[in-house]
Each structure stands twice: as structure tokens, then as C-alpha cells.
């Protein structure tokens, strides 16, 4: 089944998404997500100029060979732009194979390992009480796991807290230049333990709690935080420190038994190899869009499984619903699946463009039973929402030093 056309479609139904459509000679097409938040057009150029021309007339069924051709065959490997481009092609080819076979993707991966995919949702707030009001509300809706992020007193903006921009999509799609935010580790430590102490008092022990540090701490500060939060029984502490130097996690692990999660910005298995094989983390958060697609996500999951590490794919709104669909299949299959991050199916405009029948019930995401990924994209409607440049913020310490956002 030859590939006849590869379309790269950029649209901004509130925030930018790069969607790839691979069309075959039989008329079967597949979809993939190539969105790299704040760098979208770099992936578009990579796909249009350097990938699409090489794939025309190749057999769409040869997913593995095409993946190797794009990864191993190029002298310049890895990195978010390359891997998002490869990811989108790979997802689209799995979508095509599923449609051709008449089977949902999870069946091609090995079939169902569970009834549904447990998700964690976000409770954010301007203060501890308000964060816990939001968490209580989510608990009432049946969610079993909640990430808590509360504003840091004395800092004008805190990661994860939406402020007056209540909509995550609107927030992320409307920054024509990177806004600058201030960070203070000392101020953060004055808030964080109280948040989790109050959370256990108010929400009880029958709910999973999580927290994202978003790389703001050094390894020894992360170790201190882990020790402080151990007694509140978190499902995991995410991105406690950067792991560009993966040995940093040796330091954290020596001091605390808090479960650790990382990986949303990882692009290959190599980025997490040392962390996984030394059992320095408990959850790997790689995403299909940013780690090269379904093919390498399956390898990461298998490698993690033999080291007792679970999967917990990234699910922020900078991954399109096409990526969420791919995750729903991987999560339904992976024997060592842990939890899926979930921030909703998007605003009205996003739901108009991406149609699917995934659903949330009793705190679980339920995968589509339609062949392939089980998601469609309305190319014509997408023209109503053209690309709009938008950036993530940058972070500075209070003395002006640039820090990790
Ligand atoms: O684009 C950046 C977001 O994806 C990131 O800030 C979200 O850390 C995040 C998360 O865990 O969802
Ligand atoms: Mg995160």
C-alpha cells in the first residue's frame, strides 16, 4: 500500500497543533501529531522539506523500516524537532495499519491489559484552600488521582496556576513573545508542605496525590522536598530536577523513598536509559509525540517493565488529541502502565476539529474501538483557525538570573 501524499496541517483552535496526514494509494489515511509547543513551524519545515519527499511511494505497512530510515538513516539524530516529525509519521502509519486490519491500535500492540486507563487531573489554585476546593470538586466527579499546584505566596506567577486565564488552551495559545516569570526556591518551600498536609486532612487517604516541580529544584533540594513530602504518600513527584545529567537522580534517590517521575521532554530511550536501568525513577513520562511515536514508546515501555518502572505519558494540552488517542492505545495495552495525565478533550474549537469517541468514566479514559487510532481531523474547518505564534514562559530567579521554567 503505497504512500501517495503527506500533508502537514497547522491550526490554532486556541493553541497551535501540527497534524500530519499520510494518504495512501488506496485512499486509507492516517493521522499523527507533530506539535512542539513554541517551535511548531520548525517541525513543519522538517517534515515538508526533509521527510515527506523521501516517503512518497514507500510501502505504508513497513512502519519499522520507515522509522529506522528516518532515525538511523539520518546522520543528524534525536532532538525534539526530528523526533516529533518522526513521531507524527509513525503514528499515522500505525493508524493506517489499524484501519487496513480493521482493528483498533491496542489490538495490534498485543491487546487489552486493563478495563480502562486511570488518569490524573489537575487542581490548581491561587492559595491552598482554593486548590483544595478544586481538588474536592474533581474528586466528586470520580477522578482517582489529582495533581496539586498552588500559587507560591510572594511570587506573582507560579507554574501550573492559571490565574485569571482560566482556560489552559487560551493561556498557552496567546503569548506572542515569551513572558518572564520569577522563581524563588525559598518561597516555594514555605508553601509546599502545608499544601499536602492540608490536602490529606481535607481529601483523605483514598485519593492519589501528585505534584509537578517543573525542574525548579537542584538535586539536593529535590531530595529535601522528597523527604518532606514522604509522609503524604504521593503517587509521584514529577520533574523534581532536570535530568540532562541523569546521575543527578542518584543524589535524590539516596535520600528519599518518594516515587519519582520524569520524561515529558525526553526524545529517545537514551534520555532515560540510565534512570531506568538504575531504577532511579518509578514512572517514565515520555510522550508519543516527543519521543518518536508509537514504535519507540513500545520499546521504552518494555525496557521500563524489566526495571519495575511504570509508564505515565505526558498529557498537557501541547499534545494534540491525536497524541492522546495514541496514548490511550498504548496505555490500554502496556502491562506496566501506571497512569495517564489528562487535562480534558480541549475547548469547543478543538473538539470541532478532532472528532473521536474516547470517553472519561469513573476516573478512567476509555479508548476508541474504531480501527486505527480512532480519531479524525476536519481539514476544512481547521482553516478557520490559522497558526498564531505563541511561546511558553521563561523563568528567572529574583536577582534576574535565568532559571529553568
Ligand atoms: O509545554 C509545556 C507543558 O507541557 C508543561 O509545562 C506541562 O509539565 C507539564 C505537565 O506535566 O503537564
Ligand atoms: Mg510536567
Amino acid at each position: 500500500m503505497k504512500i501517495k501524499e503527506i500533508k502537514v496541517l497547522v491550526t490554532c483552535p486556541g493553541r497551535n497543533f501540527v497534524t500530519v496526514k499520510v494518504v495512501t494509494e488506496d485512499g486509507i489515511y492516517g493521522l499523527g501529531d507533530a506539535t512542539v509547543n513554541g517551535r511548531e513551524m520548525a517541525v513543519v519545515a522538517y517534515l515538508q522539506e526533509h521527510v515527506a519527499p523521501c516517503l512518497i511511494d514507500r510501502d505504508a505497512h513497513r512502519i519499522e523500516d520507515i522509522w529506522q530510515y528516518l532515525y538511523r538513516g539520518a546522520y543528524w539524530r534525536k532532538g525534539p524537532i526530528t523526533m516529533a516529525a518522526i513521531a507524527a509519521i509513525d503514528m499515522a502509519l500505525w493508524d493506517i495499519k489499524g484501519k487496513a486490519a480493521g482493528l483498533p491500535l491496542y489490538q495490534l500492540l498485543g491487546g487489552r491489559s486493563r478495563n480502562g486507563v486511570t488518569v490524573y487531573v489537575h487542581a490548581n489554585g491561587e492559595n491552598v484552600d482554593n486548590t483544595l476546593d478544586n481538588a474536592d470538586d474533581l474528586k466528586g466527579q470520580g477522578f482517582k488521582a489529582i495533581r496539586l499546584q498552588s500559587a507560591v505566596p510572594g511570587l506573582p506567577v507560579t507554574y501550573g496556576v492559571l490565574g485569571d486565564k482560566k482556560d489552559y488552551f487560551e493561556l498557552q495559545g496567546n503569548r506572542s513573545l515569551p513572558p518572564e516569570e520569577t522563581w524563588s526556591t525559598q518561597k516555594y518551600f514555605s508553601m509546599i508542605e502545608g499544601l499536602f498536609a492540608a490536602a490529606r486532612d481535607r481529601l483523605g487517604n483514598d485519593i492519589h496525590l501528585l505534584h509537578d516541580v517543573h525542574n525548579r529544584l537542584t538535586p539536593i533540594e529535590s531530595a529535601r522536598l522528597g523527604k518532606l513530602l514522604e509522609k503524604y504518600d504521593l503517587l509521584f513527584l514529577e520533574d523534581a530536577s532536570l535530568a540532562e545529567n541523569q546521575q543527578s537522580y542518584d543524589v535524590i534517590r539516596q535520600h528519599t523513598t518518594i516515587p519519582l517521575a520524569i520524561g515529558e521532554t525526553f526524545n529517545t530511550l537514551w534520555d532515560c536509559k540510565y534512570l531506568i536501568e538504575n531504577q532511579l525513577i518509578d514512572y517514565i513520562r515520555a510522550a508519543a509525540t516527543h519521543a518518536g511515536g508509537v514504535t519507540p514508546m513500545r520499546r521504552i515501555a518494555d525496557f521500563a517493565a524489566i526495571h519495575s518502572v511504570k509508564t505515565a505519558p505526558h498529557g498537557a494540552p501541547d499534545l494534540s488529541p491525536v497524541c492522546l488517542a495514541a496514548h490511550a492505545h498504548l496505555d490500554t495495552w502496556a502491562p506496566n502502565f501506571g497512569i495517564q495525565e489528562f487535562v480534558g478533550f480541549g475547548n469547543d474549537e478543538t473538539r470541532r476539529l478532532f472528532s473521536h469517541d474516547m470517553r472519561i468514566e469513573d476516573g478512567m479514559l476509555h479508548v476508541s474501538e474504531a480501527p486505527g487510532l480512532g480519531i479524525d481531523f476536519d481539514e476544512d474547518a481547521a482553516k478557520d483557525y490559522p497558526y498564531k505564534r505563541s511561546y511558553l514562559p521563561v523563568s528567572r530567579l529574583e536577582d534576574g538570573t535565568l532559571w529553568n521554567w
Side-chain angles (χ1 to χ4, degrees):
M1 188 167 41
K2 284 187 179 167
I3 296 172
K4 270 291 150 225
E5 191 183 4
I6 295 179
K7 296 184 188 181
V8 186
L9 306 152
V10 193
T11 182
C12 184
R15 46 146 309 120
N16 293 310
F17 292 123
V18 181
T19 305
V20 168
K21 185 168 183 176
V22 176
V23 186
T24 65
E25 61 189 352
D26 308 27
I28 297 183
Y29 63 85
L31 297 176
D33 176 30
T35 308
V36 178
N37 197 350
R39 299 291 185 274
E40 296 87 354
M41 301 313 275
V43 196
V44 172
Y46 191 103
L47 279 159
Q48 286 176 336
E49 287 300 311
H50 308 296
V51 171
C54 307
L55 299 186
I56 302 304
D57 286 339
R58 281 178 196 274
D59 181 359
H61 276 308
R62 294 186 61 176
I63 299 176
E64 187 65 55
D65 184 65
I66 289 177
W67 195 91
Q68 298 293 337
Y69 179 81
L70 294 175
Y71 179 80
R72 189 178 291 261
Y75 185 57
W76 305 105
R77 296 185 186 194
K78 305 194 247 183
I81 307 303
T82 297
M83 298 313 288
I86 298 177
I89 299 291
D90 184 78
M91 277 184 221
L93 296 180
W94 279 105
D95 193 17
I96 290 169
K97 198 181 276 297
K99 287 176 177 170
L103 290 171
L105 171 59
Y106 77 83
Q107 295 288 15
L108 304 185
L109 295 172
R112 191 178 272 282
S113 293
R114 55 194 51 79
N115 302 329
V117 168
T118 303
V119 298
Y120 74 88
V121 287
H122 295 186
N124 316 299
E126 298 291 352
N127 53 51
V128 168
D129 281 348
N130 170 237
T131 305
L132 298 182
D133 288 345
N134 294 334
D136 225 1
D137 183 44
L138 291 163
K139 190 181 167 194
Q141 292 174 40
F143 290 107
K144 313 252 183 298
I146 306 177
R147 188 188 89 165
L148 303 178
Q149 308 292 141
S150 192
V152 175
L155 295 183
V157 191
T158 305
Y159 163 75
V161 179
L162 305 181
D164 59 353
K165 291 258 190 290
K166 296 294 178 207
D167 185 277
Y168 211 168
F169 283 81
E170 191 198 334
L171 183 73
Q172 290 210 344
N174 277 295
R175 300 174 181 124
S176 57
L177 286 173
E180 303 216 346
E181 298 179 353
T182 311
W183 175 253
S184 158
T185 296
Q186 195 181 11
K187 288 179 174 147
Y188 170 73
F189 269 101
S190 72
M191 175 279 293
I192 191 66
E193 189 182 356
L195 171 64
F196 281 89
R200 280 298 173 211
D201 275 351
R202 177 143 172 211
L203 304 171
N205 292 327
D206 195 23
I207 185 105
H208 291 299
L209 300 178
L210 304 89
H211 179 65
D212 189 350
V213 184
H214 222 262
N215 308 310
R216 300 298 203 278
L217 301 181
T218 64
I220 199 65
E221 290 165 350
S222 294
R224 178 182 158 213
L225 178 64
K227 286 173 82 166
L228 279 178
L229 297 185
E230 264 171 30
K231 54 181 169 295
Y232 304 109
D233 190 21
L234 271 66
L235 184 78
F236 62 60
L237 184 66
E238 177 188 341
D239 287 350
S241 292
L242 278 177
E244 280 167 324
N245 172 11
Q246 295 183 34
Q247 278 86 349
S248 293
Y249 274 65
D250 288 329
V251 176
I252 307 173
R253 205 59 153 180
Q254 274 162 24
H255 294 283
T256 175
T257 58
I258 198 164
L260 297 168
I262 193 167
E264 66 181 49
T265 60
F266 290 179
N267 308 131
T268 67
L269 179 56
W270 302 105
D271 295 335
C272 45
K273 178 176 174 287
Y274 179 88
L275 292 169
I276 292 177
E277 72 192 359
N278 290 291
Q279 296 183 265
L280 298 176
I281 56 170
D282 303 281
Y283 293 84
I284 179 67
R285 302 217 345 102
T289 299
H290 299 134
V294 171
T295 298
M297 285 289 276
R298 199 173 46 164
R299 281 195 188 107
I300 290 172
D302 284 339
F303 183 68
I306 59 171
H307 298 93
S308 305
V309 174
K310 294 183 182 178
T311 62
H314 189 206
D318 47 331
L319 299 151
S320 93
V322 177
C323 180
L324 181 66
H327 286 171
H329 289 279
L330 285 157
D331 299 343
T332 298
W333 153 74
N336 55 328
F337 165 72
I339 199 157
Q340 172 66 53
E341 183 181 20
F342 179 72
V343 294
F345 292 120
N347 60 3
D348 292 348
E349 292 82 356
T350 303
R351 282 185 275 112
R352 178 180 169 219
L353 299 188
F354 296 92
S355 49
H356 59 82
D357 62 358
M358 287 182 281
R359 60 180 211 291
I360 291 285
E361 217 177 277
D362 202 20
M364 291 196 290
L365 173 68
H366 294 273
V367 71
S368 174
E369 292 293 339
L373 289 174
I375 189 157
D376 213 345
F377 178 65
D378 188 335
E379 271 180 69
D380 289 330
K383 292 180 189 138
D384 294 345
Y385 312 105
Y387 167 75
K388 201 166 135 191
R389 193 181 69 225
S390 183
Y391 290 96
L392 290 169
V394 298
S395 183
R396 289 185 189 274
L397 301 180
E398 288 177 294
D399 70 356
T401 307
L402 203 75
W403 195 240
N404 315 320
W405 184 74

